[in-house]
């Protein structure tokens, strides 16, 4: 049977079978061996030095990136012809998770190098450019950085003022301008830079080695809230000459290159925060088992168990969603290669198809690590505010994740605009679904009970209703506002909130069902508990977002009709979430670490 590979955004209008979802327990022995090699590297090289990352030891971070390259951890996704292991997208996700879990400084350096510092060359470089740069980037001999942001060009990346002027002999472009917030700049050998040629509508992209140019200068390291051993500098270009053959893609392709590199960066950021959450939970559990108050360890108190249960739920759901999307990207890439597309084209199109999912997951995961790190500090109490503990640094480092790879606000609007664009182009039939749901709303409600013999029956019904709710609200918004909807930023962000919760809840339900069907875990109850906790959390978020949409778009009878729709599609059965959180927390406290 041919494996079904869903289209990007298809989760909004179709149901996913547990058999169609990939879960981390299905990684092969080869993938697990590479993961274990990464774990060993982290335990040997990073954990013993964890406190040093808060003292601006940029050379430590640089040395670790180069050592990781020697071990093959930077070249997992590169083709063999460029010295890589060609292990597939989801394997790169797995390694990114482990490399990013201990400190944001290493996570940023690793992500900037292997993601946006590699992909533009890998996907858009000429063959000679790839052969020149990729093997040494993959081995860690050369460290790469990505120069896009400017003082007046942040979220609006295509508005950059850096100029590229063709020399009279036609052999070079001279780059002049300023870039800011450039990760890895202080230790980079390779610079990917974006600049505008003449009055082109779109920017262009170039790559060069710093030793081959003049006119390149860097400011001192930036003073930042977190990421204290991640190099971040301003970069100044004064007629830096780059050979014309080292342009990436074609003239004017820069904005497209930036966007497509960021698609991969977003989902990699999501899996990086997943690794951070798992470590934060482990630190929290250990502290809760050690700290005593009122004659008990604090882990015995319900208030702490509530925190641990909620923290674990977010970490579990992030994990399920990122590897689901990662495998979809990998499967789609393989499919495109089999259809005759080149390796670069397949990887580019494979990721681009899931731009919606990448944006939504970046938002969910970065908000999740915000919550988890904040609760981690709270569990530590006064010690959580102390720089002597890892929790203080984790809290500060987590904050940047809502800004990296496009702010969460930009990503929410981008995702919904992509959904609407696909719907208008007939690639995502949301309008038929919206009409069907509106018709259903006029019918007598379904008062039938869920099949109580089916695992997660109530949660599955919640998921179906939330999908109906999103279709109902998106249809009403389009009908009322038309093309003007794309400019209503608040509405777009509320619609995105529904899309995020739907994708993550569906992922969790399908993973938990699959684990039960395949008997992957001896005791499935904590996973069922986390899925249920998430389902009820999702309903609360969707109720609030939906009311905001209806209040903003409709009035009178139309408003009342949709408010009834919200009530109908967010109805839930009473469940004791307190006991479920305790159940999850007790498992963690018993194992004294993240184990779910």
């Amino acid at each position: 049977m041919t494996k079904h590979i869903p289209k990007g955004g298809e989760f909004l209008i179709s149901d996913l079978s547990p058999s169609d979802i990939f879960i981390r327990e299905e990684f092969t022995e080869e993938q697990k061996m590479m993961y274990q090699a990464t774990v060993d590297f982290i335990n040997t090289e990073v954990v013993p030095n964890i406190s040093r990352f808060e003292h601006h030891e940029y050379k430590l971070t640089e040395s670790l990136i180069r050592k990781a390259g020697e071990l093959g951890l930077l070249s997992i996704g590169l083709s063999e012809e460029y010295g890589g292991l060609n292990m597939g997208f989801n394997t790169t996700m797995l390694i990114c998770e482990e490399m990013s879990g201990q400190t944001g400084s290493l996570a940023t350096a690793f992500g900037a190098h292997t993601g946006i510092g590699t992909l533009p060359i890998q996907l858009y470089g000429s063959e000679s450019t790839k052969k020149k740069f990729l093997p040494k980037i993959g081995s860690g001999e050369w460290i790469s950085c990505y120069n896009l942001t400017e003082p007046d060009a942040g979220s609006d990346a295509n508005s950059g003022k850096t100029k590229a002027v063709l020399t009279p002999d036609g052999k070079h472009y001279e780059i002049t301008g300023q870039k800011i917030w450039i990760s890895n700049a202080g230790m980079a050998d390779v610079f990917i830079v974006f600049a505008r040629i003449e009055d082109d509508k779109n920017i262009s992209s170039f790559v060069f080695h710093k030793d081959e140019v003049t006119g390149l200068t860097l400011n001192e390291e930036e003073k930042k809230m977190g990421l204290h051993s991640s190099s971040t500098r301003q970069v100044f270009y004064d007629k830096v000459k780059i050979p014309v053959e080292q342009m990436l893609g074609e003239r004017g392709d820069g904005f497209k290159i930036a966007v497509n590199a960021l698609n991969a960066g977003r989902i990699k950021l999501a899996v990086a925060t997943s690794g951070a959450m798992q470590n934060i939970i482990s630190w929290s559990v250990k502290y809760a088992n050690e700290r005593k108050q009122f004659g008990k360890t604090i882990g015995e108190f319900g208030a702490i168990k509530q925190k641990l249960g909620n923290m674990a739920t977010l970490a579990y759901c992030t994990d399920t969603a990122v590897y689901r999307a990662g495998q979809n990207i990998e499967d789609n890439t393989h499919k495109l290669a089999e259809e005759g597309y080149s390796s670069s084209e397949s990887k580019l199109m494979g990721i681009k198809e899931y731009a919606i999912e990448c944006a939504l997951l970046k938002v969910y995961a970065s908000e999740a690590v915000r919550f988890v790190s904040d609760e981690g500090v709270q569990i530590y109490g006064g010690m959580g505010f102390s720089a002597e503990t890892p929790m203080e640094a984790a809290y500060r480092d987590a904050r940047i994740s809502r800004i990296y790879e496009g702010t969460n606000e930009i990503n929410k609007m981008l995702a919904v605009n992509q959904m609407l664009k696909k719907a208008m182009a007939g690639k995502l039939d949301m309008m038929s679904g919206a009409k069907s749901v509106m018709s259903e709303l006029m019918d007598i409600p379904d008062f039938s009970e869920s099949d109580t013999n089916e695992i997660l029956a109530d949660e599955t019904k919640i998921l179906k209703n939330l999908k109906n709710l999103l279709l109902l609200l998106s249809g009403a918004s389009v009908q009322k506002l038309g093309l003007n909807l794309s400019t209503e930023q608040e509405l777009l962000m509320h619609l995105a909130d529904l899309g995020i919760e739907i994708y993550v809840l569906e992922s969790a339900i399908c993973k938990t069902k699959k684990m039960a069907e395949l008997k992957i875990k001896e005791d499935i109850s904590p996973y069922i508990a986390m899925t249920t906790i998430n389902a009820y959390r999702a309903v609360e978020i969707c109720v609030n977002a939906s009311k905001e949409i209806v209040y903003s778009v409709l009035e009178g009878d139309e408003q009342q009709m949709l408010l009834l729709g919200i009530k109908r599609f967010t109805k839930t059965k009473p469940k004791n979430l307190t006991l479920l959180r305790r159940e999850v927390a007790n498992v963690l406290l018993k194992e004294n670490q993240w184990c779910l």
Side-chain angles (χ1 to χ4, degrees), residues 466-518:
L466 292 182
K467 287 190 178 186
N468 285 340
L469 182 59
L470 176 55
L471 290 172
L472 177 68
L473 296 174
S474 58
S477 298
V478 169
Q479 187 175 29
K480 199 71 176 179
L481 298 172
L483 295 176
N484 290 331
L485 176 58
S486 64
T487 66
E488 294 293 328
Q489 295 189 344
E490 299 95 331
L491 284 180
L492 295 176
M493 290 191 290
H494 292 314
L495 287 168
D497 286 336
L498 273 80
I500 290 166
E501 297 305 323
I502 287 167
Y503 188 83
V504 174
L505 177 57
E506 183 173 58
S507 302
I509 289 172
C510 287
K511 173 170 180 174
T512 303
K513 285 184 176 181
K514 186 170 189 175
M515 291 169 68
E517 291 171 4
L518 300 180

Side-chain angles (χ1 to χ4, degrees), residues 288-300:
N289 276 330
E290 294 169 1
R291 175 69 168 166
K292 289 188 176 181
Q293 291 288 280
F294 308 104
K296 295 181 178 181
T297 62
I298 63 171
E300 296 178 67

Side-chain angles (χ1 to χ4, degrees), residues 446-484:
D446 177 13
F447 294 108
S448 63
E449 292 291 322
S450 304
D451 181 359
T452 53
N453 294 320
E454 180 189 346
I455 183 175
L456 295 170
D458 293 332
E459 292 74 12
T460 302
K461 188 171 183 178
I462 286 173
L463 173 64
K464 181 176 185 295
N465 284 337
L466 292 182
K467 287 190 178 186
N468 285 340
L469 182 59
L470 176 55
L471 290 172
L472 177 68
L473 296 174
S474 58
S477 298
V478 169
Q479 187 175 29
K480 199 71 176 179
L481 298 172
L483 295 176
N484 290 331

Side-chain angles (χ1 to χ4, degrees), residues 95-113:
I95 304 311
C96 180
E97 174 195 301
E98 183 60 25
M99 286 291 293
S100 305
Q102 293 289 338
T103 166
S105 293
L106 183 62
T108 296
F110 179 83
H113 178 82

Side-chain angles (χ1 to χ4, degrees), residues 111-361:
H113 178 82
T114 59
I116 54 179
T118 300
L119 284 172
I121 305 170
Q122 187 179 2
L123 300 179
Y124 290 95
S126 65
E127 190 59 30
S128 61
T129 298
K130 290 178 185 178
K131 287 180 177 178
K132 176 179 178 178
F133 289 97
L134 291 180
K136 292 186 177 182
I137 288 175
S139 70
E141 182 179 345
W142 289 353
I143 292 176
S144 185
C145 69
Y146 176 91
N147 295 230
L148 176 63
T149 305
E150 298 183 15
D152 295 319
S155 297
D156 185 9
N158 201 38
S159 65
K161 295 180 172 59
T162 297
K163 288 290 184 182
V165 177
L166 189 65
T167 56
D169 61 9
K171 293 182 178 180
H172 295 83
Y173 279 99
E174 289 184 338
I175 310 294
T176 300
Q178 176 187 4
K179 301 293 181 177
I180 62 172
W181 303 119
I182 307 306
S183 297
N184 288 358
M187 60 185 184
D189 307 283
V190 176
F191 288 69
I192 295 170
V193 60
F194 295 82
R196 192 178 311 279
I197 301 171
E198 297 176 344
D199 294 323
D200 288 358
K201 177 182 178 182
N202 293 319
I203 53 179
S204 297
S205 181
F206 308 84
V207 61
F208 65 92
H209 190 284
K210 67 176 183 180
D211 290 347
E212 297 176 346
V213 302
T214 58
L216 182 74
T217 56
L218 279 66
N219 259 16
E220 293 300 311
E221 294 288 350
E222 298 286 354
K223 294 179 174 65
K224 309 185 295 291
M225 177 191 294
L227 314 179
H228 284 170
S229 288
S230 165
S231 175
T232 311
R233 295 191 178 195
Q234 292 188 48
V235 182
F236 296 91
Y237 293 82
D238 182 14
K239 295 184 178 180
V240 174
K241 294 175 69 172
I242 304 173
V244 293
E245 59 268 21
Q246 287 177 199
M247 177 186 284
L248 298 175
E250 302 295 330
R251 177 172 172 169
D253 277 353
F255 183 62
K256 177 171 68 175
I257 293 171
V259 168
N260 288 323
L262 288 173
N263 286 332
R266 285 167 182 145
I267 191 170
K268 291 290 183 70
L269 178 65
V271 81
T273 60
S274 179
M277 281 187 272
Q278 293 168 26
N279 279 295
I280 290 168
I281 292 170
S282 287
W283 297 334
S284 300
V285 169
K286 286 179 170 64
Y287 190 81
N289 276 330
E290 294 169 1
R291 175 69 168 166
K292 289 188 176 181
Q293 291 288 280
F294 308 104
K296 295 181 178 181
T297 62
I298 63 171
E300 296 178 67
F301 292 109
I304 300 299
K305 289 182 179 181
Q306 175 171 292
K307 294 181 185 301
L308 292 174
N310 286 330
M311 292 160 73
T313 295
L314 290 174
Y316 174 68
C317 292
T318 301
D319 177 84
T320 66
V322 293
Y323 287 113
R324 167 192 177 182
Q327 192 63 41
N328 287 159
I329 290 170
E330 184 167 331
D331 290 341
N332 193 38
T333 299
H334 288 318
K335 174 176 170 286
L336 291 164
E338 290 173 358
E339 292 174 357
Y341 290 95
S342 69
S343 175
S344 296
E345 290 172 328
S346 301
K347 289 176 179 176
L348 172 63
M349 296 164 65
I351 297 171
K352 185 179 179 180
E353 177 64 30
Y354 299 97
I356 294 170
E357 287 81 354
C358 290
L360 295 180
L361 286 175

Side-chain angles (χ1 to χ4, degrees), residues 541-557:
I541 292 171
C542 291
V543 167
N544 292 333
S546 299
K547 286 181 179 178
E548 288 273 6
I549 293 167
V550 172
Y551 295 154
S552 300
V553 175
L554 302 172
E555 296 178 341
D557 291 342

Side-chain angles (χ1 to χ4, degrees), residues 6-11 352-357 422 427-428:
K7 295 179 180 178
E10 188 180 319
F11 71 94
K352 185 179 179 180
E353 177 64 30
Y354 299 97
I356 294 170
E357 287 81 354
K422 280 194 167 190
K427 296 179 180 179
L428 194 62

